[in-house]
């Protein structure tokens, strides 16, 4: 049942945003976010299983079958420090129903215990496991939110630069792409973003990749964006990372890459994590899911 946008905004600001704050110990933040994700409703018919993908613990969230030939590899957000498939379960379920296929969400290693490139190595291992299992690259969509969106772009660039086949489509939800934390929206939207306090980002960068500036895989906005699979971007107009999404869409389009962009007015960072409760979240996932499904089944 959908709740009013104002109620969702209040709940995000009161219950979720504090768990992103660096004022709390990491174990508390991680456990709290998982509890919030586990408490939210899932669509009827959702199925969950646990397994291993390329040596990485993975949760698979699926609608009732039968399924098409495509699959989704999902990389969760959380600033590379927090978050898990459990914290993102409503979003995973919404995306699974929208795409009509299982969503594989690796529980990649988190910083600061496991700094870059651990998360990227795990994402690559999961991708390769899907390929080894017989799934063609063009039948796989890679999707990520927030830091997971940055990780999805890092994976895409690593695959492209190694000469590997690329996924059929890429979905990015409120992607965090600029680790310099210098975009204007970090100040402009600091008060309107119900989810993310920009002051938290610098610490996340230090924990994940303090020397990011010398690593091309961590600078997707400076990369050659030509020849990539279709990109489908979702962001909230009121979020602190909207400039990252804007810049990627502009640069990818200028490079000739196919791009769609849903920039939703009045929405905060990562608003599709409120799937099942927020109408705008469900609509964004429905639109994204249909686009990914079309790209990966043609």
């Amino acid at each position: 049942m959908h709740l009013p946008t104002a109620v969702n905004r209040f709940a995000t600001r009161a219950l979720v945003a504090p768990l992103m704050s660096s004022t709390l110990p990491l174990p508390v933040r991680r456990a709290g976010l998982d509890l919030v994700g586990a408490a939210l409703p899932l669509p009827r018919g959702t199925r969950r299983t646990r397994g291993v993908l390329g040596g990485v613990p993975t949760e698979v969230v699926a609608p009732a079958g039968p399924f098409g030939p495509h699959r989704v590899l999902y990389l969760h957000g959380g600033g590379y420090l927090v978050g898990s498939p459990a914290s993102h379960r409503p979003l995973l379920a919404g995306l699974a129903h929208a795409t009509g296929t299982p969503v594989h969400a690796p529980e990649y290693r988190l910083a600061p215990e496991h700094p870059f490139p651990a998360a990227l190595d795990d994402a690559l291992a999961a991708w390769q496991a899907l390929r080894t299992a017989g799934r063609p690259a063009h039948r796989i969509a890679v999707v990520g939110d927030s830091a997971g969106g940055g990780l999805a772009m890092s994976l895409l660039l690593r695959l492209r630069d190694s000469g590997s086949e690329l996924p059929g489509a890429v979905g990015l939800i409120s992607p965090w792409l600029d680790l310099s934390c210098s975009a204007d929206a970090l100040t402009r939207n600091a008060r309107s973003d119900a989810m993310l306090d920009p002051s938290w980002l610098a610490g996340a960068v230090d924990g994940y990749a303090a020397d990011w500036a010398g690593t091309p895989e961590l600078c997707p906005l400076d990369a050659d964006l030509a020849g990539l699979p279709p990109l489908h971007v979702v962001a909230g107009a009121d979020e602190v990372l909207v400039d990252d999404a804007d810049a990627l869409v502009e640069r990818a389009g200028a490079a000739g890459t196919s791009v769609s962009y849903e920039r939703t007015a009045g929405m905060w960072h990562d608003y599709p994590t409120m799937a099942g409760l927020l109408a705008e979240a469900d609509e964004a996932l429905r639109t994204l899911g249909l686009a990914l499904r079309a790209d990966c089944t043609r």
Side-chain angles (χ1 to χ4, degrees), residues 213-247:
T215 308
E217 291 170 340
L218 296 177
C219 304
L221 295 180
D222 297 328
D224 177 8
L225 300 178
L228 298 181
L231 302 179
H232 302 285
V233 184
V234 176
D238 287 356
E239 68 167 287
V240 296
L241 294 183
V242 69
D243 286 357
D244 288 24
D246 289 349

PDB file of all heavy atoms in Angstrom, residues 213-247:
ATOM      1  N   ALA A 213      41.914   9.176  -7.489  1.00  0.00           N
ATOM      2  CA  ALA A 213      42.152  10.073  -8.624  1.00  0.00           C
ATOM      3  C   ALA A 213      43.084   9.459  -9.669  1.00  0.00           C
ATOM      4  O   ALA A 213      43.042   9.834 -10.833  1.00  0.00           O
ATOM      5  CB  ALA A 213      42.719  11.401  -8.128  1.00  0.00           C
ATOM      6  N   GLY A 214      43.912   8.508  -9.282  1.00  0.00           N
ATOM      7  CA  GLY A 214      44.823   7.907 -10.253  1.00  0.00           C
ATOM      8  C   GLY A 214      44.304   6.618 -10.857  1.00  0.00           C
ATOM      9  O   GLY A 214      45.065   5.912 -11.531  1.00  0.00           O
ATOM     10  N   THR A 215      43.028   6.322 -10.647  1.00  0.00           N
ATOM     11  CA  THR A 215      42.470   5.039 -11.079  1.00  0.00           C
ATOM     12  C   THR A 215      41.330   5.266 -12.069  1.00  0.00           C
ATOM     13  O   THR A 215      40.243   5.699 -11.679  1.00  0.00           O
ATOM     14  CB  THR A 215      41.945   4.251  -9.869  1.00  0.00           C
ATOM     15  OG1 THR A 215      42.974   4.166  -8.873  1.00  0.00           O
ATOM     16  CG2 THR A 215      41.519   2.854 -10.280  1.00  0.00           C
ATOM     17  N   PRO A 216      41.540   4.994 -13.361  1.00  0.00           N
ATOM     18  CA  PRO A 216      40.501   5.267 -14.361  1.00  0.00           C
ATOM     19  C   PRO A 216      39.159   4.611 -14.055  1.00  0.00           C
ATOM     20  O   PRO A 216      38.105   5.189 -14.338  1.00  0.00           O
ATOM     21  CB  PRO A 216      41.115   4.712 -15.654  1.00  0.00           C
ATOM     22  CG  PRO A 216      42.592   4.803 -15.439  1.00  0.00           C
ATOM     23  CD  PRO A 216      42.789   4.515 -13.978  1.00  0.00           C
ATOM     24  N   GLU A 217      39.168   3.405 -13.471  1.00  0.00           N
ATOM     25  CA  GLU A 217      37.913   2.716 -13.188  1.00  0.00           C
ATOM     26  C   GLU A 217      37.056   3.457 -12.168  1.00  0.00           C
ATOM     27  O   GLU A 217      35.849   3.214 -12.075  1.00  0.00           O
ATOM     28  CB  GLU A 217      38.194   1.307 -12.659  1.00  0.00           C
ATOM     29  CG  GLU A 217      38.772   0.378 -13.715  1.00  0.00           C
ATOM     30  CD  GLU A 217      39.274  -0.928 -13.131  1.00  0.00           C
ATOM     31  OE1 GLU A 217      39.534  -0.985 -11.913  1.00  0.00           O
ATOM     32  OE2 GLU A 217      39.410  -1.899 -13.902  1.00  0.00           O
ATOM     33  N   LEU A 218      37.667   4.369 -11.409  1.00  0.00           N
ATOM     34  CA  LEU A 218      36.934   5.131 -10.407  1.00  0.00           C
ATOM     35  C   LEU A 218      36.568   6.524 -10.888  1.00  0.00           C
ATOM     36  O   LEU A 218      36.062   7.335 -10.110  1.00  0.00           O
ATOM     37  CB  LEU A 218      37.766   5.228  -9.118  1.00  0.00           C
ATOM     38  CG  LEU A 218      38.029   3.897  -8.414  1.00  0.00           C
ATOM     39  CD1 LEU A 218      38.920   4.098  -7.199  1.00  0.00           C
ATOM     40  CD2 LEU A 218      36.720   3.229  -8.001  1.00  0.00           C
ATOM     41  N   CYS A 219      36.792   6.788 -12.161  1.00  0.00           N
ATOM     42  CA  CYS A 219      36.500   8.113 -12.721  1.00  0.00           C
ATOM     43  C   CYS A 219      35.625   7.986 -13.968  1.00  0.00           C
ATOM     44  O   CYS A 219      36.025   8.390 -15.063  1.00  0.00           O
ATOM     45  CB  CYS A 219      37.802   8.829 -13.071  1.00  0.00           C
ATOM     46  SG  CYS A 219      38.976   9.013 -11.716  1.00  0.00           S
ATOM     47  N   PRO A 220      34.425   7.430 -13.834  1.00  0.00           N
ATOM     48  CA  PRO A 220      33.599   7.193 -15.027  1.00  0.00           C
ATOM     49  C   PRO A 220      33.200   8.461 -15.761  1.00  0.00           C
ATOM     50  O   PRO A 220      32.959   8.416 -16.971  1.00  0.00           O
ATOM     51  CB  PRO A 220      32.379   6.463 -14.470  1.00  0.00           C
ATOM     52  CG  PRO A 220      32.345   6.807 -13.014  1.00  0.00           C
ATOM     53  CD  PRO A 220      33.775   6.956 -12.606  1.00  0.00           C
ATOM     54  N   LEU A 221      33.134   9.595 -15.065  1.00  0.00           N
ATOM     55  CA  LEU A 221      32.755  10.830 -15.748  1.00  0.00           C
ATOM     56  C   LEU A 221      33.875  11.354 -16.639  1.00  0.00           C
ATOM     57  O   LEU A 221      33.642  12.224 -17.490  1.00  0.00           O
ATOM     58  CB  LEU A 221      32.342  11.898 -14.728  1.00  0.00           C
ATOM     59  CG  LEU A 221      31.078  11.584 -13.929  1.00  0.00           C
ATOM     60  CD1 LEU A 221      30.765  12.705 -12.954  1.00  0.00           C
ATOM     61  CD2 LEU A 221      29.887  11.336 -14.855  1.00  0.00           C
ATOM     62  N   ASP A 222      35.093  10.844 -16.458  1.00  0.00           N
ATOM     63  CA  ASP A 222      36.220  11.230 -17.307  1.00  0.00           C
ATOM     64  C   ASP A 222      36.516  10.188 -18.371  1.00  0.00           C
ATOM     65  O   ASP A 222      37.434  10.369 -19.180  1.00  0.00           O
ATOM     66  CB  ASP A 222      37.480  11.438 -16.450  1.00  0.00           C
ATOM     67  CG  ASP A 222      37.331  12.572 -15.458  1.00  0.00           C
ATOM     68  OD1 ASP A 222      36.614  13.552 -15.777  1.00  0.00           O
ATOM     69  OD2 ASP A 222      37.909  12.485 -14.354  1.00  0.00           O
ATOM     70  N   ALA A 223      35.773   9.098 -18.382  1.00  0.00           N
ATOM     71  CA  ALA A 223      36.054   7.991 -19.294  1.00  0.00           C
ATOM     72  C   ALA A 223      35.476   8.255 -20.677  1.00  0.00           C
ATOM     73  O   ALA A 223      34.583   9.088 -20.858  1.00  0.00           O
ATOM     74  CB  ALA A 223      35.467   6.694 -18.729  1.00  0.00           C
ATOM     75  N   ASP A 224      35.980   7.503 -21.652  1.00  0.00           N
ATOM     76  CA  ASP A 224      35.383   7.472 -22.975  1.00  0.00           C
ATOM     77  C   ASP A 224      34.083   6.678 -22.861  1.00  0.00           C
ATOM     78  O   ASP A 224      34.101   5.489 -22.553  1.00  0.00           O
ATOM     79  CB  ASP A 224      36.344   6.808 -23.957  1.00  0.00           C
ATOM     80  CG  ASP A 224      35.755   6.671 -25.357  1.00  0.00           C
ATOM     81  OD1 ASP A 224      34.658   7.220 -25.604  1.00  0.00           O
ATOM     82  OD2 ASP A 224      36.384   6.010 -26.198  1.00  0.00           O
ATOM     83  N   LEU A 225      32.954   7.317 -23.100  1.00  0.00           N
ATOM     84  CA  LEU A 225      31.658   6.686 -22.924  1.00  0.00           C
ATOM     85  C   LEU A 225      31.036   6.230 -24.240  1.00  0.00           C
ATOM     86  O   LEU A 225      29.856   5.891 -24.295  1.00  0.00           O
ATOM     87  CB  LEU A 225      30.706   7.647 -22.199  1.00  0.00           C
ATOM     88  CG  LEU A 225      31.167   8.093 -20.799  1.00  0.00           C
ATOM     89  CD1 LEU A 225      30.178   9.083 -20.205  1.00  0.00           C
ATOM     90  CD2 LEU A 225      31.351   6.894 -19.881  1.00  0.00           C
ATOM     91  N   ALA A 226      31.846   6.190 -25.292  1.00  0.00           N
ATOM     92  CA  ALA A 226      31.355   5.712 -26.581  1.00  0.00           C
ATOM     93  C   ALA A 226      31.333   4.190 -26.599  1.00  0.00           C
ATOM     94  O   ALA A 226      32.138   3.533 -25.926  1.00  0.00           O
ATOM     95  CB  ALA A 226      32.239   6.234 -27.709  1.00  0.00           C
ATOM     96  N   GLY A 227      30.403   3.638 -27.358  1.00  0.00           N
ATOM     97  CA  GLY A 227      30.371   2.205 -27.562  1.00  0.00           C
ATOM     98  C   GLY A 227      29.863   1.399 -26.395  1.00  0.00           C
ATOM     99  O   GLY A 227      30.058   0.180 -26.338  1.00  0.00           O
ATOM    100  N   LEU A 228      29.196   2.038 -25.453  1.00  0.00           N
ATOM    101  CA  LEU A 228      28.668   1.328 -24.293  1.00  0.00           C
ATOM    102  C   LEU A 228      27.252   0.830 -24.579  1.00  0.00           C
ATOM    103  O   LEU A 228      26.571   1.329 -25.475  1.00  0.00           O
ATOM    104  CB  LEU A 228      28.653   2.253 -23.077  1.00  0.00           C
ATOM    105  CG  LEU A 228      30.008   2.790 -22.598  1.00  0.00           C
ATOM    106  CD1 LEU A 228      29.818   3.663 -21.371  1.00  0.00           C
ATOM    107  CD2 LEU A 228      30.972   1.653 -22.314  1.00  0.00           C
ATOM    108  N   PRO A 229      26.789  -0.144 -23.819  1.00  0.00           N
ATOM    109  CA  PRO A 229      25.393  -0.582 -23.963  1.00  0.00           C
ATOM    110  C   PRO A 229      24.445   0.523 -23.519  1.00  0.00           C
ATOM    111  O   PRO A 229      24.879   1.508 -22.896  1.00  0.00           O
ATOM    112  CB  PRO A 229      25.306  -1.798 -23.035  1.00  0.00           C
ATOM    113  CG  PRO A 229      26.398  -1.609 -22.050  1.00  0.00           C
ATOM    114  CD  PRO A 229      27.503  -0.913 -22.787  1.00  0.00           C
ATOM    115  N   PRO A 230      23.162   0.398 -23.804  1.00  0.00           N
ATOM    116  CA  PRO A 230      22.213   1.424 -23.374  1.00  0.00           C
ATOM    117  C   PRO A 230      22.271   1.660 -21.868  1.00  0.00           C
ATOM    118  O   PRO A 230      22.326   0.715 -21.077  1.00  0.00           O
ATOM    119  CB  PRO A 230      20.855   0.840 -23.790  1.00  0.00           C
ATOM    120  CG  PRO A 230      21.174  -0.087 -24.917  1.00  0.00           C
ATOM    121  CD  PRO A 230      22.509  -0.676 -24.589  1.00  0.00           C
ATOM    122  N   LEU A 231      22.265   2.936 -21.494  1.00  0.00           N
ATOM    123  CA  LEU A 231      22.271   3.343 -20.087  1.00  0.00           C
ATOM    124  C   LEU A 231      20.887   3.886 -19.736  1.00  0.00           C
ATOM    125  O   LEU A 231      20.336   4.716 -20.462  1.00  0.00           O
ATOM    126  CB  LEU A 231      23.316   4.431 -19.837  1.00  0.00           C
ATOM    127  CG  LEU A 231      24.773   4.122 -20.181  1.00  0.00           C
ATOM    128  CD1 LEU A 231      25.650   5.338 -19.881  1.00  0.00           C
ATOM    129  CD2 LEU A 231      25.276   2.908 -19.421  1.00  0.00           C
ATOM    130  N   HIS A 232      20.355   3.427 -18.619  1.00  0.00           N
ATOM    131  CA  HIS A 232      19.063   3.900 -18.135  1.00  0.00           C
ATOM    132  C   HIS A 232      19.274   4.459 -16.733  1.00  0.00           C
ATOM    133  O   HIS A 232      19.624   3.721 -15.810  1.00  0.00           O
ATOM    134  CB  HIS A 232      18.046   2.760 -18.132  1.00  0.00           C
ATOM    135  CG  HIS A 232      17.864   2.133 -19.484  1.00  0.00           C
ATOM    136  ND1 HIS A 232      17.145   2.749 -20.492  1.00  0.00           N
ATOM    137  CD2 HIS A 232      18.334   0.974 -20.006  1.00  0.00           C
ATOM    138  CE1 HIS A 232      17.172   1.982 -21.568  1.00  0.00           C
ATOM    139  NE2 HIS A 232      17.884   0.906 -21.301  1.00  0.00           N
ATOM    140  N   VAL A 233      19.085   5.759 -16.596  1.00  0.00           N
ATOM    141  CA  VAL A 233      19.454   6.477 -15.380  1.00  0.00           C
ATOM    142  C   VAL A 233      18.203   6.997 -14.685  1.00  0.00           C
ATOM    143  O   VAL A 233      17.295   7.533 -15.330  1.00  0.00           O
ATOM    144  CB  VAL A 233      20.424   7.635 -15.703  1.00  0.00           C
ATOM    145  CG1 VAL A 233      20.884   8.320 -14.420  1.00  0.00           C
ATOM    146  CG2 VAL A 233      21.629   7.129 -16.494  1.00  0.00           C
ATOM    147  N   VAL A 234      18.173   6.832 -13.365  1.00  0.00           N
ATOM    148  CA  VAL A 234      17.085   7.331 -12.526  1.00  0.00           C
ATOM    149  C   VAL A 234      17.710   8.189 -11.430  1.00  0.00           C
ATOM    150  O   VAL A 234      18.696   7.785 -10.809  1.00  0.00           O
ATOM    151  CB  VAL A 234      16.294   6.174 -11.880  1.00  0.00           C
ATOM    152  CG1 VAL A 234      15.233   6.717 -10.924  1.00  0.00           C
ATOM    153  CG2 VAL A 234      15.670   5.294 -12.940  1.00  0.00           C
ATOM    154  N   ALA A 235      17.145   9.370 -11.182  1.00  0.00           N
ATOM    155  CA  ALA A 235      17.640  10.221 -10.098  1.00  0.00           C
ATOM    156  C   ALA A 235      16.516  11.110  -9.608  1.00  0.00           C
ATOM    157  O   ALA A 235      15.531  11.347 -10.323  1.00  0.00           O
ATOM    158  CB  ALA A 235      18.827  11.074 -10.563  1.00  0.00           C
ATOM    159  N   GLY A 236      16.666  11.592  -8.386  1.00  0.00           N
ATOM    160  CA  GLY A 236      15.728  12.555  -7.833  1.00  0.00           C
ATOM    161  C   GLY A 236      16.242  13.966  -8.047  1.00  0.00           C
ATOM    162  O   GLY A 236      17.429  14.244  -7.816  1.00  0.00           O
ATOM    163  N   ALA A 237      15.369  14.852  -8.478  1.00  0.00           N
ATOM    164  CA  ALA A 237      15.803  16.219  -8.748  1.00  0.00           C
ATOM    165  C   ALA A 237      16.267  16.945  -7.496  1.00  0.00           C
ATOM    166  O   ALA A 237      17.031  17.913  -7.575  1.00  0.00           O
ATOM    167  CB  ALA A 237      14.677  17.006  -9.410  1.00  0.00           C
ATOM    168  N   ASP A 238      15.819  16.472  -6.309  1.00  0.00           N
ATOM    169  CA  ASP A 238      16.173  17.134  -5.060  1.00  0.00           C
ATOM    170  C   ASP A 238      17.341  16.472  -4.334  1.00  0.00           C
ATOM    171  O   ASP A 238      17.624  16.804  -3.185  1.00  0.00           O
ATOM    172  CB  ASP A 238      14.965  17.156  -4.109  1.00  0.00           C
ATOM    173  CG  ASP A 238      13.890  18.146  -4.533  1.00  0.00           C
ATOM    174  OD1 ASP A 238      14.123  18.874  -5.521  1.00  0.00           O
ATOM    175  OD2 ASP A 238      12.825  18.180  -3.894  1.00  0.00           O
ATOM    176  N   GLU A 239      18.025  15.556  -4.981  1.00  0.00           N
ATOM    177  CA  GLU A 239      19.082  14.833  -4.272  1.00  0.00           C
ATOM    178  C   GLU A 239      20.448  15.494  -4.452  1.00  0.00           C
ATOM    179  O   GLU A 239      20.690  16.228  -5.416  1.00  0.00           O
ATOM    180  CB  GLU A 239      19.137  13.380  -4.718  1.00  0.00           C
ATOM    181  CG  GLU A 239      19.599  13.141  -6.150  1.00  0.00           C
ATOM    182  CD  GLU A 239      19.919  11.669  -6.370  1.00  0.00           C
ATOM    183  OE1 GLU A 239      20.962  11.221  -5.856  1.00  0.00           O
ATOM    184  OE2 GLU A 239      19.126  10.982  -7.052  1.00  0.00           O
ATOM    185  N   VAL A 240      21.352  15.184  -3.531  1.00  0.00           N
ATOM    186  CA  VAL A 240      22.670  15.824  -3.543  1.00  0.00           C
ATOM    187  C   VAL A 240      23.577  15.259  -4.631  1.00  0.00           C
ATOM    188  O   VAL A 240      24.593  15.885  -4.969  1.00  0.00           O
ATOM    189  CB  VAL A 240      23.365  15.707  -2.169  1.00  0.00           C
ATOM    190  CG1 VAL A 240      22.588  16.467  -1.108  1.00  0.00           C
ATOM    191  CG2 VAL A 240      23.577  14.252  -1.767  1.00  0.00           C
ATOM    192  N   LEU A 241      23.238  14.110  -5.205  1.00  0.00           N
ATOM    193  CA  LEU A 241      24.078  13.524  -6.252  1.00  0.00           C
ATOM    194  C   LEU A 241      23.476  13.670  -7.646  1.00  0.00           C
ATOM    195  O   LEU A 241      23.947  13.033  -8.590  1.00  0.00           O
ATOM    196  CB  LEU A 241      24.320  12.033  -5.955  1.00  0.00           C
ATOM    197  CG  LEU A 241      25.139  11.720  -4.703  1.00  0.00           C
ATOM    198  CD1 LEU A 241      25.364  10.217  -4.565  1.00  0.00           C
ATOM    199  CD2 LEU A 241      26.488  12.442  -4.727  1.00  0.00           C
ATOM    200  N   VAL A 242      22.468  14.511  -7.788  1.00  0.00           N
ATOM    201  CA  VAL A 242      21.820  14.619  -9.095  1.00  0.00           C
ATOM    202  C   VAL A 242      22.768  15.154 -10.163  1.00  0.00           C
ATOM    203  O   VAL A 242      22.641  14.809 -11.345  1.00  0.00           O
ATOM    204  CB  VAL A 242      20.539  15.481  -9.002  1.00  0.00           C
ATOM    205  CG1 VAL A 242      20.863  16.946  -8.741  1.00  0.00           C
ATOM    206  CG2 VAL A 242      19.688  15.329 -10.271  1.00  0.00           C
ATOM    207  N   ASP A 243      23.749  15.961  -9.787  1.00  0.00           N
ATOM    208  CA  ASP A 243      24.697  16.466 -10.782  1.00  0.00           C
ATOM    209  C   ASP A 243      25.512  15.340 -11.405  1.00  0.00           C
ATOM    210  O   ASP A 243      25.903  15.424 -12.573  1.00  0.00           O
ATOM    211  CB  ASP A 243      25.640  17.493 -10.154  1.00  0.00           C
ATOM    212  CG  ASP A 243      24.971  18.829  -9.879  1.00  0.00           C
ATOM    213  OD1 ASP A 243      23.790  18.989 -10.226  1.00  0.00           O
ATOM    214  OD2 ASP A 243      25.642  19.718  -9.314  1.00  0.00           O
ATOM    215  N   ASP A 244      25.784  14.279 -10.638  1.00  0.00           N
ATOM    216  CA  ASP A 244      26.514  13.133 -11.185  1.00  0.00           C
ATOM    217  C   ASP A 244      25.697  12.481 -12.295  1.00  0.00           C
ATOM    218  O   ASP A 244      26.223  12.155 -13.374  1.00  0.00           O
ATOM    219  CB  ASP A 244      26.789  12.100 -10.093  1.00  0.00           C
ATOM    220  CG  ASP A 244      27.839  12.546  -9.092  1.00  0.00           C
ATOM    221  OD1 ASP A 244      28.032  13.771  -8.944  1.00  0.00           O
ATOM    222  OD2 ASP A 244      28.447  11.682  -8.449  1.00  0.00           O
ATOM    223  N   ALA A 245      24.403  12.278 -12.035  1.00  0.00           N
ATOM    224  CA  ALA A 245      23.534  11.686 -13.048  1.00  0.00           C
ATOM    225  C   ALA A 245      23.420  12.605 -14.257  1.00  0.00           C
ATOM    226  O   ALA A 245      23.492  12.149 -15.413  1.00  0.00           O
ATOM    227  CB  ALA A 245      22.156  11.402 -12.456  1.00  0.00           C
ATOM    228  N   ASP A 246      23.233  13.898 -14.017  1.00  0.00           N
ATOM    229  CA  ASP A 246      23.124  14.858 -15.123  1.00  0.00           C
ATOM    230  C   ASP A 246      24.361  14.803 -16.020  1.00  0.00           C
ATOM    231  O   ASP A 246      24.257  14.777 -17.249  1.00  0.00           O
ATOM    232  CB  ASP A 246      22.975  16.283 -14.579  1.00  0.00           C
ATOM    233  CG  ASP A 246      21.631  16.542 -13.931  1.00  0.00           C
ATOM    234  OD1 ASP A 246      20.718  15.706 -14.069  1.00  0.00           O
ATOM    235  OD2 ASP A 246      21.499  17.600 -13.272  1.00  0.00           O
ATOM    236  N   ALA A 247      25.543  14.813 -15.388  1.00  0.00           N
ATOM    237  CA  ALA A 247      26.792  14.838 -16.147  1.00  0.00           C
ATOM    238  C   ALA A 247      26.961  13.561 -16.963  1.00  0.00           C
ATOM    239  O   ALA A 247      27.381  13.601 -18.128  1.00  0.00           O
ATOM    240  CB  ALA A 247      27.974  15.027 -15.200  1.00  0.00           C
TER     241      ALA A 247
END
